Amino acid sequence: MYCPRLDHFARLNSNGTIGKCGHMTIQHGFKNVEQMQNSKWLARVREDFLNQTWPKECIRCRDTEAVTQRSIRLSSIERDRLLSKFDSNYLIVGGVLDNICNSACQSCSSDLSTKIGALDGSRIKVNNEHLLDALPWENIIELDINGGEPTASPRYQTLLENPPPNVKIIRINTNCSRPMRAIEKLLQRRIKVIVTASLDGIGAIHDYVRWPIKWNNYIKVINIYKQLRDQYSNLELQAWTTVSSLNAMDLPNIIKYCNTNNINHDWSFLTFPSALDARYYNRLTANVSLDTVATLQDNTTQLDEFITKQDKLRNIAMEDYYEDCYHR
């Protein structure tokens, strides 16, 4: 058992450090890639894998594999077979170039969203251009663009227009609030582009979880990408769901939407903030027929406190979005 990300992935953390996979539940930051690759921490994670033991940082992939037999780890193994042909020392760069974002998702925070920062008054500004510039650009074969929200960030637009010279794949995670105009030029350069649409609900549930992005606009942008996919074989359209208490009940509808639109779909369980962890029993998870959901103690009080605080911050009310599953 192993994961290629341990050798070939560098994540730009929102606190200005270099880390590993963003799906790790425990993040560690280092000054540079060399310090990270030679760290005792990474040596211990590698040893866990060699001993056929899941590192405590990697439980999201463990839990997802147990339910779906798919995960970021398994996808990385498949991708490694391709990328290692280009460069045995290839590097995938992901994480946070900046936190400029036009969405205030319920599970997010101000260090990843300037929209939330404007709401809560923290106004955190992240700029990791210096970390990106210090990496060995000639070894960067894939960009794993997250954000923030790439379509709202001038830095990400510049990066998409001028990617590292040897890049073969660019994966872009987006809230689909607007289309990315730079994509077609990348496709014309024969770069494989993977658009990963964050899909955390259908209709009103989407509008609550991904506030203030509207579902009607979301599907218009998806249709634009579907049209591009018909034109270019090197465009792949994906959807990713972070399963929480807020959308676990809607997962069947999400899967149906993706199947209907021929969109590759994957998901994993949210672990933070803990109030939204779908493993806890509450009014939103009680009737969900999915392994590991609602298997832990009742967290209704914690969930209610979280929702009340978040709704006040956004000046919205959950009951306006969750008609059938919301009960006081």
Side-chain angles (χ1 to χ4, degrees), residues 233-289:
S233 60
N234 50 328
L235 174 63
E236 181 179 344
L237 183 55
Q238 299 178 342
W240 178 271
T241 302
T242 302
V243 177
S244 70
S245 293
L246 297 176
N247 61 14
M249 82 294 289
D250 207 33
L251 188 59
N253 295 324
I254 293 171
I255 293 172
K256 181 180 179 180
Y257 174 83
C258 291
N259 289 339
T260 301
N261 289 276
N262 192 27
I263 299 172
N264 295 327
H265 177 255
D266 216 335
W267 57 270
S268 69
F269 288 108
L270 172 147
T271 56
F272 183 85
S274 61
L276 299 182
D277 191 329
R279 292 175 297 176
Y280 290 104
Y281 180 93
N282 53 61
R283 66 176 178 277
L284 299 177
T285 62
N287 297 316
V288 176
S289 56

Side-chain angles (χ1 to χ4, degrees), residues 99 105-114 116-117 120 122 124 272:
N99 65 332
C105 300
Q106 296 287 348
S107 60
C108 199
S109 56
S110 55
D111 62 331
L112 294 176
S113 169
T114 51
I116 295 177
D120 66 16
S122 60
I124 296 172
F272 183 85

Side-chain angles (χ1 to χ4, degrees), residues 124-192:
I124 296 172
K125 293 184 179 180
V126 175
N127 181 358
N128 280 330
E129 284 184 300
H130 65 290
L131 291 178
L132 178 62
D133 291 342
L135 295 173
W137 271 51
E138 67 278 5
N139 296 122
I140 300 176
I141 301 297
E142 179 175 347
L143 288 174
D144 192 63
I145 292 177
N146 295 291
E149 167 53 36
T151 63
S153 166
R155 292 188 186 92
Y156 276 115
Q157 294 303 308
T158 299
L159 179 60
L160 288 173
E161 292 169 1
N162 301 281
N166 295 319
V167 159
K168 302 295 188 295
I169 300 174
I170 299 179
R171 190 192 74 86
I172 311 168
N173 198 91
T174 175
N175 61 22
C176 287
S177 57
R178 68 193 84 179
M180 286 172 280
R181 303 301 179 187
I183 285 181
E184 189 161 13
K185 292 182 179 179
L186 294 171
L187 294 170
Q188 291 170 350
R189 292 173 55 183
R190 299 185 184 279
I191 293 173
K192 181 177 178 62

Side-chain angles (χ1 to χ4, degrees), residues 35-53:
Q35 185 185 69
M36 177 175 64
Q37 291 301 117
N38 296 322
S39 67
K40 292 181 179 180
W41 167 75
L42 190 56
R44 190 266 303 163
V45 173
R46 285 197 178 105
E47 185 176 359
D48 285 347
F49 272 114
L50 288 173
N51 292 331
Q52 305 298 307
T53 301

